[in-house]
Amino acid sequence: MAESVRVALLGCGTVGTEVVRLLHEQAHDLRARVGAPIELVGIAVRRPNRVREGVPQELITTDALGLVKRDDVDVVIEVVGGIEPARTWLVEALRSGKSVITGNKALLAEDGGSLHDAAAEGGADLYYEAAVAGAIPLLRPLRESLHGDRLTQVTGIVNGTTNFILSAMDSTGAGYSEALDEATALGYAEPDPTADVEGFDAAAKAAILASLAFHTRVRAADVYREGITEVSAADVASAKAMGCIIKLLCIASRTKDGGVSVRVHPAMIPRSHPLASVGDAFNAVFIEAEAAGQLMFYGRGAGGAPSASAVLGDLVAVARNRLTGARSSSESAYADLPVRPMGEVWTRYHVSLDVADKAGVLASVAGVFARHDVSIATVNQSGRGDDASLVIVTHAAKDADLAATVAELRSLDFVRSIASVLRVEGD
Amino acid sequence: MAESVRVALLGCGTVGTEVVRLLHEQAHDLRARVGAPIELVGIAVRRPNRVREGVPQELITTDALGLVKRDDVDVVIEVVGGIEPARTWLVEALRSGKSVITGNKALLAEDGGSLHDAAAEGGADLYYEAAVAGAIPLLRPLRESLHGDRLTQVTGIVNGTTNFILSAMDSTGAGYSEALDEATALGYAEPDPTADVEGFDAAAKAAILASLAFHTRVRAADVYREGITEVSAADVASAKAMGCIIKLLCIASRTKDGGVSVRVHPAMIPRSHPLASVGDAFNAVFIEAEAAGQLMFYGRGAGGAPSASAVLGDLVAVARNRLTGARSSSESAYADLPVRPMGEVWTRYHVSLDVADKAGVLASVAGVFARHDVSIATVNQSGRGDDASLVIVTHAAKDADLAATVAELRSLDFVRSIASVLRVEGD
């Protein structure tokens, strides 16, 4: 049996505690799978006196950087989150040849390049399976198994909080606030839910997924982002009437002109789509590839144990690499495709509006769409007294043209209100 | 740029032709991802004069063993299938240090040990992503990403032909023969469908999945196997009435006594189960792990392009390994768990029977279950003239006890007929 692989853990909250527990509980299996024992040599935390069940107090330190620099550390696991000081620690570790495992999606999406560059400089492994879709083995298949194929689109439900809220709105007819309150009460939403409900969390994950799928560096700032706070009970009802359901999707796709587009926004998808039945706080990622066709990965996106499972899977890989002198595939960003702005992306809109029920209104509305080069796929008109309700679904058009169409509709006298505007995804 | 990685292809049918096409079409991307060009140096076929569009005639040979032995071959891709001569070729390749990529599930399930041993001897890579669930990146996640977790059960729909037939029976109410005819007409079933409909194909895949999931060598002969030829329109209707659907499942699970059980048989699962909506010829594998919880992988299980996608994903990995001098994780069979026979596996049964409608019948029927230590979960009795229909779902019990219960029921005077007996899976 080879000498042990020595691990430093940065952060010991929900995920970190679970990592410590599993390292202990599965020590026998891990040793057999790695070919050497895994030894936890230090745990850096901010509050050393907090009680953490099952965590050996003698390993606790508050000096994270000192721990990272220790000569007897082979692998650094970071589950702290945030840009700094995590970036400083991880760049230091990677440059000195220590393998890094992190679930830090914000850092990867903001400045993954620095980590990849440091990994290349130090000849070290950088794994981050836990950063997107928690327990689901997704990133390594993307960066390894699907390398013989050409991906065309990645569509994901990657934020459990918003999926829980939208699922509740769909099943009970509740409004957004009510569903958010339920999610908060059940612990699915943070006291400050901004990062989730405004789509920041999903946008960071979208950047990571797009980078891997298209061999191109994509940062969080490149991702178009809309959250779910404007999704109304009326929107949910409109979607139901269309045989659809509303999901917060992250979508990374190749554009017709050889670029990529990356976006996060709520959208209607048909209930027959594989993503439609992904309920509660589950995550799923739907992949379309030229040769493989359609693939989907489904599982728990967050939580201590699921994230720790992803971290330990990475740990077995980097530990084996250290013992055999191998190194995982490094960042693949050779394609370097341009990221297109949202306005140039081709999407479809569902627009539901209340109009005055008089002659010529439908012709005028249709004229607005036509002036913006937007082709209408279906129209449903139903009268109710002086008003008529129009539900229009478009063919694919440039998002900027669709947005301009809606803006012009809003300005028209005979348009009493626009009840719902939603993008439509999934054929 | 490093020198090229030289590939020999054994077999040039549906999958092989697609491999040749993709190697040509994606040469630029493959070179970038591998770090060196991939060069196809020979293609061994049985019928050299057959026209194969896009396949360079000058690479064709009928001497597969000679091709495998060539000094300038680095990687051997085998898409011929069958035990021999494929085993001889691949053992030869691996022993001499050549990496092997194969989709040969029959060989892997019958004698994967010989291949793994030869790979260890030659220090070579053995990859076989295409062998199970075609394009779905499943085996590498099982053998790598999930190594930090403890799997409890793997439940798969891994045969597209039978899933197409059962989906058709469910949606149209057709009988088995009629649905098989449709599958044959559409090319989803072979002229001789035995390997699919009798569960041999699924059993081979079950053995491969179980070996990876439980770090234990499992062979096709260890797998309990029932096909779908006995599934009737009445069974399908019974399942519907229960809110279930019938699927041919492969199930590999840990048993309570520390062993594993591996089986293939039709079973009822609730329509709310993620596997229930896997229709047509799609495949999906549902994994339960202690830390990760529930995971599902979904996609196309067969076909030229999907299988070729899996082969090329493997090719990028082994080619990178050759260039960096690394080697993939070898066979992990350290756990060496005992495989339990079907009779000892705990399952649940759904039994639907017609009985004479007279006093004491229900008591007698219930007595039969009790005598075999089988606990009844639900009973539904409905009268129709002199007869009554009884639908019974049991709690989990030993499969042998359940089978003995049904056998005794069959022998009773007042049991007119047993309309349907099916196992029930998924809570």
Side-chain angles (χ1 to χ4, degrees):
Chain A
M1 179 74 57
E3 65 180 85
S4 66
V5 175
R6 287 146 306 186
V7 175
L9 176 65
L10 310 181
C12 201
T14 315
V15 178
T17 309
E18 205 54 33
V19 167
V20 175
R21 188 182 70 78
L22 290 175
L23 277 175
H24 177 73
E25 192 180 296
Q26 307 203 359
H28 169 76
D29 280 323
L30 292 170
R31 177 195 286 239
R33 293 171 194 180
V34 168
I38 302 277
E39 189 188 347
L40 186 58
V41 298
I43 306 172
V45 300
R46 270 193 307 181
R47 286 169 293 177
N49 299 319
R50 202 175 131 200
V51 175
R52 297 174 177 86
E53 207 181 331
V55 176
Q57 189 60 34
E58 68 275 16
L59 297 183
I60 296 282
T61 172
T62 54
D63 179 13
L65 192 59
L67 176 59
V68 165
K69 286 182 169 174
R70 268 171 59 174
D71 287 340
D72 65 342
V73 167
D74 300 310
V75 179
V76 173
I77 297 175
E78 183 259 321
V79 287
V80 172
I83 308 300
E84 284 295 350
R87 176 169 48 196
T88 301
W89 301 336
L90 300 190
V91 166
E92 167 68 31
L94 290 163
R95 279 202 186 131
S96 60
K98 287 160 185 161
S99 303
V100 162
I101 297 161
T102 174
N104 193 330
K105 56 202 158 255
L107 173 55
L108 287 159
E110 169 81 17
D111 192 17
S114 292
L115 300 187
H116 286 294
D117 291 345
E121 198 183 325
D125 277 341
L126 171 61
Y127 276 66
Y128 44 97
E129 188 64 66
V132 182
I136 311 173
L138 171 67
L139 302 191
R140 275 205 269 162
L142 269 180
R143 73 194 254 194
E144 295 171 8
S145 301
L146 289 166
H147 263 189
D149 208 334
R150 198 176 283 157
L151 273 57
T152 51
Q153 182 158 320
V154 177
T155 308
I157 294 172
V158 294
N159 180 271
T161 306
T162 50
N163 202 51
F164 181 89
I165 293 171
L166 292 172
S167 297
M169 290 174 72
D170 181 71
S171 59
T172 67
Y176 167 73
S177 306
E178 199 184 328
L180 172 61
D181 289 347
E182 191 194 344
T184 310
L186 292 171
Y188 286 116
E190 305 272 342
D192 175 1
T194 310
D196 293 316
V197 300
E198 295 292 0
F200 290 100
D201 175 80
K205 293 165 177 170
I208 296 169
L209 288 175
S211 300
L212 292 173
F214 302 122
H215 302 272
T216 291
R217 276 190 184 177
V218 177
R219 296 166 57 134
D222 300 321
V223 181
Y224 174 83
R225 178 189 53 73
E226 275 178 38
I228 64 161
T229 56
E230 303 294 317
V231 176
S232 66
D235 290 332
V236 171
S238 287
K240 267 196 176 167
M242 298 265 303
C244 289
I245 185 168
I246 300 176
K247 294 290 185 188
L248 182 68
L249 300 180
C250 79
I251 304 175
S253 55
R254 275 182 192 264
T255 56
K256 293 175 185 178
D257 60 357
V260 298
S261 72
V262 193
R263 48 197 168 109
V264 169
H265 56 71
M268 289 170 47
I269 54 170
R271 281 184 191 266
S272 56
H273 193 286
L275 287 173
S277 55
V278 176
D280 297 334
F282 274 89
N283 281 198
V285 175
F286 188 77
I287 292 174
E288 290 159 275
E290 285 185 5
Q294 302 181 331
L295 302 167
M296 193 171 84
F297 298 74
Y298 166 96
R300 292 203 179 274
S307 300
S309 168
V311 167
L312 263 67
D314 283 352
L315 178 57
V316 171
V318 305
R320 289 183 53 92
N321 278 351
R322 292 199 82 83
L323 293 173
T324 59
R327 204 189 144 215
S328 76
S329 60
S330 52
E331 184 191 23
S332 173
Y334 71 90
D336 199 19
L337 303 175
V339 182
R340 303 296 179 204
M342 188 63 195
E344 292 179 21
V345 176
W346 285 61
T347 63
R348 285 183 298 145
Y349 270 34
H350 162 278
V351 183
S352 167
L353 63 170
D354 294 325
V355 296
D357 193 0
K358 58 183 182 185
V361 165
L362 181 57
S364 300
V365 167
V368 174
F369 282 85
R371 261 201 302 290
H372 293 282
D373 279 333
V374 174
S375 171
I376 291 175
T378 63
V379 181
N380 274 291
Q381 176 166 357
S382 53
R384 31 179 177 178
D386 289 344
D387 285 7
S389 163
L390 276 181
V391 177
I392 295 168
V393 179
T394 73
H395 284 300
K398 276 194 183 171
D399 200 79
D401 293 337
L402 289 159
T405 304
V406 173
E408 184 172 341
L409 288 174
R410 276 190 208 284
S411 72
L412 295 176
D413 279 352
F414 55 80
V415 174
R416 303 260 159 90
S417 70
I418 296 197
S420 168
V421 179
L422 279 166
R423 293 190 184 85
V424 182
E425 297 290 334
D427 298 316
Chain B
M1 179 75 56
E3 64 180 270
S4 65
V5 175
R6 287 146 306 185
V7 175
L9 177 64
L10 309 182
C12 202
T14 315
V15 178
T17 309
E18 205 55 33
V19 167
V20 174
R21 187 181 71 77
L22 289 174
L23 278 176
H24 178 71
E25 192 180 295
Q26 308 203 358
H28 169 75
D29 281 323
L30 292 170
R31 177 196 288 238
R33 293 169 194 181
V34 168
I38 302 278
E39 189 188 347
L40 186 59
V41 299
I43 305 170
V45 300
R46 268 193 307 180
R47 287 169 294 177
N49 298 319
R50 203 175 129 197
V51 175
R52 297 173 178 88
E53 208 180 331
V55 176
Q57 188 61 35
E58 67 274 18
L59 296 183
I60 298 282
T61 171
T62 54
D63 179 13
L65 192 59
L67 176 59
V68 164
K69 287 183 167 171
R70 268 171 58 173
D71 288 338
D72 65 343
V73 167
D74 301 310
V75 180
V76 173
I77 298 174
E78 183 260 321
V79 287
V80 172
I83 309 300
E84 285 293 351
R87 176 168 49 196
T88 301
W89 300 335
L90 299 188
V91 166
E92 168 67 31
L94 291 163
R95 280 202 185 130
S96 60
K98 288 160 184 161
S99 303
V100 162
I101 296 160
T102 173
N104 194 330
K105 58 204 158 255
L107 173 55
L108 285 159
E110 169 80 18
D111 192 16
S114 292
L115 299 187
H116 286 295
D117 292 346
E121 197 182 325
D125 279 341
L126 171 62
Y127 275 68
Y128 44 96
E129 188 63 69
V132 182
I136 311 174
L138 171 68
L139 302 191
R140 276 206 268 164
L142 269 179
R143 75 194 254 194
E144 296 171 9
S145 302
L146 290 166
H147 263 188
D149 208 335
R150 197 175 283 155
L151 274 58
T152 52
Q153 182 159 320
V154 177
T155 309
I157 295 172
V158 293
N159 180 271
T161 305
T162 49
N163 202 52
F164 181 90
I165 292 170
L166 292 172
S167 298
M169 290 174 73
D170 180 70
S171 59
T172 67
Y176 167 74
S177 305
E178 198 184 330
L180 172 61
D181 288 347
E182 190 194 346
T184 310
L186 291 171
Y188 287 115
E190 307 270 343
D192 176 0
T194 310
D196 293 316
V197 299
E198 296 292 0
F200 290 101
D201 174 80
K205 293 165 177 170
I208 295 169
L209 288 174
S211 301
L212 292 173
F214 301 122
H215 303 270
T216 291
R217 276 191 185 177
V218 177
R219 298 168 54 136
D222 300 321
V223 180
Y224 174 82
R225 180 189 50 76
E226 276 177 36
I228 65 161
T229 56
E230 304 294 316
V231 176
S232 67
D235 292 330
V236 172
S238 288
K240 270 196 175 165
M242 298 266 302
C244 289
I245 186 168
I246 300 175
K247 295 290 186 189
L248 181 68
L249 299 180
C250 80
I251 303 175
S253 54
R254 275 181 193 265
T255 56
K256 294 175 185 177
D257 61 357
V260 296
S261 73
V262 193
R263 50 197 167 105
V264 168
H265 56 69
M268 287 170 48
I269 53 171
R271 283 186 188 265
S272 56
H273 193 286
L275 286 173
S277 55
V278 176
D280 297 334
F282 274 89
N283 281 197
V285 174
F286 188 77
I287 292 174
E288 289 158 275
E290 285 184 5
Q294 301 182 332
L295 303 167
M296 192 171 82
F297 298 74
Y298 166 95
R300 292 205 177 273
S307 300
S309 169
V311 167
L312 263 67
D314 283 352
L315 178 58
V316 171
V318 304
R320 289 184 53 93
N321 279 352
R322 291 199 82 83
L323 293 173
T324 59
R327 204 189 145 215
S328 76
S329 61
S330 52
E331 184 191 23
S332 173
Y334 72 90
D336 199 18
L337 303 175
V339 182
R340 303 297 180 204
M342 187 64 196
E344 291 179 22
V345 177
W346 285 61
T347 63
R348 287 183 297 146
Y349 270 33
H350 162 278
V351 183
S352 168
L353 61 171
D354 295 324
V355 295
D357 193 2
K358 57 182 185 186
V361 165
L362 182 57
S364 300
V365 167
V368 173
F369 282 85
R371 260 201 304 289
H372 293 282
D373 279 332
V374 175
S375 170
I376 292 175
T378 64
V379 181
N380 274 290
Q381 175 165 355
S382 54
R384 33 178 178 178
D386 290 345
D387 284 8
S389 165
L390 275 181
V391 177
I392 296 168
V393 179
T394 73
H395 285 299
K398 277 195 185 169
D399 201 79
D401 293 337
L402 289 159
T405 305
V406 172
E408 186 172 341
L409 288 173
R410 276 190 208 285
S411 73
L412 296 175
D413 278 353
F414 55 82
V415 174
R416 303 259 159 91
S417 69
I418 296 197
S420 169
V421 178
L422 279 166
R423 293 188 184 87
V424 182
E425 296 290 334
D427 298 316

